[in-house]
Amino acid sequence: MGLSISVVSSSNSMAAIAPFSLLRNCASSTARTFVSVKPACIVSSTTLLPLPQLSRRLLFHARATNNEEAAARAAAVNADSGAPTIFDKIIAKEIPSSIVYEDEKVLAFRDIDPQAPVHVLVIPKFRDGLTQLGKAEARHGEILGQLLYAAKIVAEKEGILDGFRVVINNGPEACQSVYHLHLHVLGGRQMKWPPG
C-alpha cells in the first residue's frame, strides 16, 4: 500500500494552516493550506475536503512541537545569565500559581499548559546554579533527592501514586524552556512507552 501526499486548499474553517512556507506559497492568498497524508489516494488541489480528526491533531502537534523547539532555543540563549526566571517570580509570589505542595526548599504548582490531567511542576526554591540537571554537582545531591521526594508527595496528594511519570527536560534539544531546574509530575491517564 503506497502513500500519497496531497496539498489541499480550502477556505473551510476546519482546514489547518501548515507550518511549512513552501505549502503556504502553493495556496492562493486567501485560501488556507494543509497537508493530507492518505493511503494510496490522490486528491486534486481543487477538491475541498476537511481533514480527518487524526490528521488535524497531527498538524497541530507538529506546529506545537515546532513552537516548543523555538522557545527552547530562545530560552537557551540566556540560560546562564542569572536573571530571574518566571519560576523565581512564582516563588516570590509575584506571579500567581496553584500551589500543590510547599516546604522550606521545594515548591510544587500546577502547570499552566497541562499535558495530562495531572501536571505539576516541582522546583527548588533556591536555584544555586541548578539551571538544568546537566549542571548538577555533588553539592546538589540533597536538593535533587528532595525534589524527587516532593514528586512522590505530589503524586500522593493528587491521587496518582499508582501511576505517574517524572520528567526532567535538560537543554534545548529536550525542549527545556525555563532554565530553573524543574520536574514535571504527570499522571491521571495511561502513559505510553516510549515517551517523547
Side-chain angles (χ1 to χ4, degrees):
M1 178 163 81
L3 289 177
S4 68
I5 300 176
S6 304
V7 176
V8 180
S9 297
S10 171
S11 58
N12 184 330
S13 63
M14 295 193 54
I17 299 172
F20 310 105
S21 60
L22 175 63
L23 295 177
R24 272 192 234 123
N25 292 337
C26 292
S28 68
S29 61
T30 59
R32 293 184 180 173
T33 303
F34 59 88
V35 176
S36 174
V37 178
K38 299 183 179 190
C41 176
I42 299 174
V43 178
S44 121
S45 63
T46 59
T47 306
L48 302 178
L49 295 174
L51 276 175
Q53 183 68 26
L54 178 60
S55 296
R56 279 183 291 192
R57 275 191 298 228
L58 291 173
L59 282 174
F60 291 130
H61 175 72
R63 187 172 342 155
T65 300
N66 290 339
N67 290 344
E68 290 169 13
E69 291 169 5
R73 284 191 301 275
V77 172
N78 297 318
D80 294 318
S81 70
T85 67
I86 189 168
F87 293 166
D88 291 313
K89 294 176 182 180
I90 289 171
I91 292 165
K93 310 292 192 249
E94 295 171 12
I95 296 176
S97 66
S98 177
I99 296 174
V100 175
Y101 172 77
E102 183 173 14
D103 65 26
E104 64 280 350
K105 294 186 178 182
V106 174
L107 179 67
F109 53 93
R110 297 191 191 288
D111 194 298
I112 61 168
D113 184 24
Q115 302 301 304
V118 173
H119 188 169
V120 176
L121 301 176
V122 181
I123 63 173
K125 286 186 171 180
F126 306 101
R127 222 179 331 164
D128 190 27
L130 273 176
T131 55
Q132 59 192 71
L133 187 59
K135 301 275 183 171
E137 300 172 5
R139 66 188 173 94
H140 295 120
E142 183 180 342
I143 189 63
L144 292 172
Q146 289 173 325
L147 289 168
L148 285 173
Y149 183 69
K152 180 261 185 192
I153 292 171
V154 166
E156 195 171 55
K157 287 176 152 265
E158 295 294 309
I160 59 168
L161 199 52
D162 288 338
F164 66 102
R165 181 169 287 162
V166 176
V167 176
I168 299 174
N169 299 322
N170 187 83
E173 289 185 28
C175 284
Q176 181 178 2
S177 58
V178 178
Y179 280 82
H180 184 132
L181 179 67
H182 55 286
L183 285 65
H184 297 259
V185 179
L186 301 153
R189 66 170 167 83
Q190 177 62 54
M191 297 292 158
K192 305 292 182 190
W193 195 259

